[in-house]
């Protein structure tokens, strides 16, 4: 029935409705010119064909009889060169304007580009005053400068590349989990729990005080909801926005960011959990290097040299504290056993180990949430928890085995005990900050330059 309904829909709606230029003076080009992205035009072997592109002008150069344009539509780092006769008399054609161009795709005599577009028609769809436009044609703007214009920075090469890489990285993460048998779970954004226990929550306020029966917050993690689902599926994951009301404007913190989180049943060792964390990191990065070579090339001087390597360095928290305590560097925060590792400690450990990703395991029991599995060791009491530290960022992933033993959980928390009463199994999971992952593979220093619209303390909302 659905297929028949779609067929009837196509028959019922006139063909002109599906044509973006079915009205006005551009209708005559619909039958002969093929709509095509600039990325596809640059790789096309079909020279001599009539095509239609739409995008934004990156440069305009005028000679005696011709105009030379570089046009980009966001599909590729490289623009397409367009050559138009000067007698076309195109009004409003400036740097930054939006254009609709029809012409013949021809082989280019230039070695920089295989093809070029010989324009038959150039229409300015949206004018742009280059004087008022904050980005100038011959200037290279810093990330700090373009960060002032969140509504326009997608028009720059660097941020355009970042957004294409971000899109491909998200697809790679979903692909990894799907290919390895994980079921995607859409965990709620509005929740009543503080999964991390840090108390840095955005509270949801509604006009009707009785709308929810308990206080409601924006989620800080989907992990507890994944634990519920891990009671019915061997492997589950979620990938979505999370929120932290941390009053910080540092280059490491966002109030809204994305997390890839996984929960795996019937897992009994940190080594098995670390294998999944490593495979996710490696597989996603290799995908980016193969599918986004041009965009990654824009960041090539920032990319960590160890990212292609296997993550095979594993040290315990106790060993990490020993390394930090023996060195002569002065740290702002203490390096005693029982203290949480800070960013300065994490970056030092990565550098000490050769600037490659490092796993740190078996943290002090009191530093980890109630659900982290108790190692029941003495004299130093630890939990089966692990962090993945990476160059330039510090902590990228954090995870643990979960405490499935009901009697031990009773001593810590009465809530959630039913999750352990009915068919509980050993399980573990982890979370990977998506923006921190992009920081790592691209070498971007400020996390606010890895997300389309950054949200942080005292930031302006668009």
């Amino acid at each position: 029935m659905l297929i028949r309904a779609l067929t009837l829909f196509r028959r019922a709606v006139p063909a002109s409705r599906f044509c973006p230029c079915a009205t006005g003076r551009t209708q005559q080009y619909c039958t002969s010119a093929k709509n095509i992205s600039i990325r596809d035009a640059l790789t096309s072997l079909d020279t001599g064909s009539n095509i239609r592109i739409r995008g934004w002008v990156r440069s305009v150069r005028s000679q005696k009889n011709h105009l030379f344009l570089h046009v980009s539509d966001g599909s590729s780092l490289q623009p397409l060169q367009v050559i138009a006769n000067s007698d076309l008399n195109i009004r409003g054609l400036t740097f930054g304007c939006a254009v609709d161009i029809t012409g013949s795709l021809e082989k280019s005599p230039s070695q920089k580009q295989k093809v070029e577009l010989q324009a038959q028609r150039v229409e300015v769809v949206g004018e742009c005053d280059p004087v008022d436009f904050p980005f100038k044609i011959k200037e290279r703007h810093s990330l700090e400068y373009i960060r002032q214009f969140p509504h326009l920075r997608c028009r720059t090469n660097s941020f355009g590349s970042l957004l294409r890489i971000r899109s491909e990285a998200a697809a790679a993460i979903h692909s990894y989990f799907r290919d390895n048998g994980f079921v995607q779970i859409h965990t709620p954004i509005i929740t009543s729990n503080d999964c991390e226990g840090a108390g840095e929550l955005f509270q949801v306020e509604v006009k009707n005080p009785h709308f929810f029966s308990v206080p409601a917050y924006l989620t800080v993690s989907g992990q507890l909801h994944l634990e519920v689902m891990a009671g019915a599926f061997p492997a589950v994951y979620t990938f979505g926005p999370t929120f932290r009301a941390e009053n910080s404007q540092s280059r490491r913190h966002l109030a809204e960011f994305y997390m890839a989180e996984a929960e795996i049943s019937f897992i009994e060792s940190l080594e098995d959990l670390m294998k999944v964390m490593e495979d996710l990191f490696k597989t996603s990065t290799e995908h980016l290097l193969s599918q986004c070579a041009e965009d990654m090339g824009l960041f090539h001087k920032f990319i960590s040299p160890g990212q292609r390597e296997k993550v095979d360095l594993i040290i315990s928290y106790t060993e990490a504290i020993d390394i930090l305590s023996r060195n002569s560097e002065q740290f702002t925060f203490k390096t005693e056993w029982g203290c949480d590792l800070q960013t300065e400690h994490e970056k030092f450990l990565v550098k000490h180990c050769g600037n490659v990703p490092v796993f740190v395991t078996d943290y002090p029991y009191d530093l980890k949430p109630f659900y982290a599995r108790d190692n029941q060791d003495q004299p130093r009491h630890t939990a089966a928890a692990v962090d993945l530290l990476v160059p330039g960022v510090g902590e990228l992933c954090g995870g643990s085995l979960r405490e499935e033993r009901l009697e031990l959980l009773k001593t810590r928390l009465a809530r959630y005990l039913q999750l352990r009463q009915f068919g509980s199994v050993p399980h573990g999971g982890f979370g990977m900050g998506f923006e921190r992952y992009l920081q790592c593979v691209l070498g971007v220093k400020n996390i606010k330059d890895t997300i389309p619209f950054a949200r942080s303390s005292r930031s302006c909302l668009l």
Side-chain angles (χ1 to χ4, degrees):
M1 291 296 293
L2 177 61
I3 295 175
R4 176 167 173 76
L6 290 173
T7 303
L8 290 173
F9 174 79
R10 285 197 298 268
R11 290 174 180 172
V13 180
S16 61
R17 286 285 300 276
F18 294 105
C19 181
C21 58
T23 59
R25 62 183 181 280
T26 58
Q27 185 175 6
Q28 59 183 312
Y29 297 99
C30 296
T31 58
S32 59
K34 177 183 178 182
N35 291 318
I36 190 171
S37 71
I38 286 176
R39 179 187 60 191
D40 291 340
L42 289 170
T43 57
S44 175
L45 300 176
D46 190 17
T47 55
S49 60
N50 284 335
I51 67 168
R52 180 189 186 192
I53 63 167
R54 285 163 289 190
W56 294 266
V57 174
R58 288 290 180 86
S59 70
V60 183
R61 180 165 54 92
S62 177
Q63 290 188 356
K64 184 177 181 180
N65 298 318
H66 295 92
L67 291 173
F68 294 86
L69 316 176
H70 281 158
V71 180
S72 175
D73 65 355
S75 64
S76 168
L77 176 62
Q78 293 299 323
L80 177 65
Q81 178 166 278
V82 178
I83 302 175
N85 289 329
S86 299
D87 57 11
L88 285 178
N89 193 25
I90 310 159
R91 295 184 60 184
L93 187 62
T94 61
F95 169 66
C97 72
V99 291
D100 184 336
I101 302 175
T102 303
S104 176
L105 189 65
E106 303 293 345
K107 185 176 179 180
S108 174
S110 172
Q111 295 182 350
K112 296 181 179 180
Q113 194 165 282
K114 293 182 179 180
V115 294
E116 61 188 22
L117 184 61
Q118 299 285 344
Q120 301 162 357
R121 177 189 63 92
V122 178
E123 179 182 354
V124 175
V125 178
E127 295 184 1
C128 175
D129 186 343
V131 176
D132 294 334
F133 194 50
F135 308 130
K136 305 308 175 185
I137 189 169
K138 294 183 179 180
E139 294 183 22
R140 177 171 293 181
H141 303 287
S142 68
L143 293 176
E144 290 75 19
Y145 176 78
I146 68 173
R147 201 181 303 138
Q148 302 175 74
F149 308 98
H151 56 305
L152 294 173
R153 65 175 178 169
C154 57
R155 302 272 292 273
T156 64
N157 276 340
S158 57
F159 206 70
S161 287
L162 183 282
L163 292 175
R164 284 187 294 272
I165 292 169
R166 184 184 171 95
S167 175
E168 200 65 42
I173 289 171
H174 281 295
S175 178
Y176 170 82
F177 284 125
R178 183 186 65 246
D179 294 346
N180 286 276
F182 284 73
V183 175
Q184 183 181 8
I185 304 296
H186 294 113
T187 56
I189 290 177
I190 299 176
T191 180
S192 63
N193 68 65
D194 177 5
C195 180
E196 297 293 325
E200 297 161 345
L201 298 144
F202 286 104
Q203 186 162 1
V204 177
E205 295 184 359
V206 293
K207 291 183 178 180
N208 181 358
H210 305 292
F211 190 88
F212 295 112
S213 60
V214 295
Y217 307 94
L218 297 182
T219 182
V220 296
S221 170
Q223 183 257 313
L224 291 177
H225 295 94
L226 288 183
E227 277 206 65
V228 173
M229 297 300 172
F233 301 94
V236 292
Y237 82 101
T238 189
F239 187 14
T242 53
F243 307 85
R244 303 279 171 89
E246 189 168 358
N247 189 17
S248 172
Q249 299 182 69
S250 78
R251 63 187 188 184
R252 295 187 71 248
H253 292 96
L254 290 169
E256 177 185 348
F257 55 96
Y258 280 69
M259 286 275 285
E261 300 177 89
E263 199 72 23
I264 308 157
S265 299
F266 304 102
I267 192 169
E268 300 186 51
S269 72
L270 277 181
E271 286 72 19
D272 291 338
L273 185 62
M274 288 188 288
K275 182 66 167 60
V276 179
M277 295 165 72
E278 177 184 341
D279 284 348
L280 173 62
F281 178 82
K282 284 175 53 184
T283 303
S284 300
T285 304
E286 288 169 358
H287 178 87
L288 291 181
L289 290 170
S290 64
Q291 298 298 316
C292 301
E294 187 178 46
D295 288 314
M296 293 286 282
L298 192 67
F299 293 87
H300 73 277
K301 63 181 179 180
F302 303 114
I303 293 177
S304 303
Q307 66 182 325
R308 292 175 181 261
E309 302 300 323
K310 184 178 179 181
V311 187
D312 58 2
L313 291 178
I314 302 173
I315 61 175
S316 68
Y317 169 88
T318 301
E319 291 171 325
I321 290 297
D322 288 342
I323 292 170
L324 294 169
S325 299
R326 289 198 306 266
N327 93 91
S328 58
E329 187 166 330
Q330 296 296 315
F331 294 111
T332 303
F333 297 92
K334 293 189 296 185
T335 56
E336 299 173 357
W337 202 96
C339 295
D340 206 357
L341 295 181
Q342 303 298 321
T343 302
E344 59 176 348
H345 304 144
E346 294 167 349
K347 290 185 176 181
F348 178 86
L349 289 169
V350 171
K351 186 177 180 181
H352 175 84
C353 294
N355 265 330
V356 295
V358 180
F359 281 118
V360 179
T361 67
D362 301 310
Y363 280 79
Y365 185 73
D366 291 337
L367 289 181
K368 292 302 173 182
F370 70 92
Y371 49 76
R373 199 175 199 275
D374 189 348
N375 281 332
Q376 294 184 298
D377 48 354
Q378 295 296 334
R380 288 174 167 172
H381 194 188
T382 64
V386 58
D387 286 343
L388 175 59
L389 312 182
V390 296
V393 174
E395 180 192 346
L396 174 64
C397 298
S400 72
L401 300 184
R402 314 308 190 196
E403 186 57 81
E404 86 285 358
R405 295 164 292 187
L406 182 61
E407 291 305 316
L408 288 179
L409 269 178
K410 284 181 178 179
T411 65
R412 298 197 80 182
L413 194 67
R415 197 178 181 189
Y416 303 109
L417 292 185
Q418 281 195 339
L419 290 179
R420 305 300 189 260
Q421 285 180 314
F422 306 115
S424 178
V425 300
H427 59 290
F430 66 91
M432 181 180 77
F434 186 49
E435 284 74 25
R436 287 191 179 183
Y437 170 73
L438 293 173
Q439 274 191 286
C440 172
V441 297
L442 298 177
V444 177
K445 294 182 179 179
N446 194 317
I447 198 169
K448 297 176 181 64
D449 297 322
T450 63
I451 191 168
F453 302 102
R455 301 284 186 258
S456 61
S457 173
R458 295 190 290 278
S459 65
C460 295
L461 301 183
L462 181 64

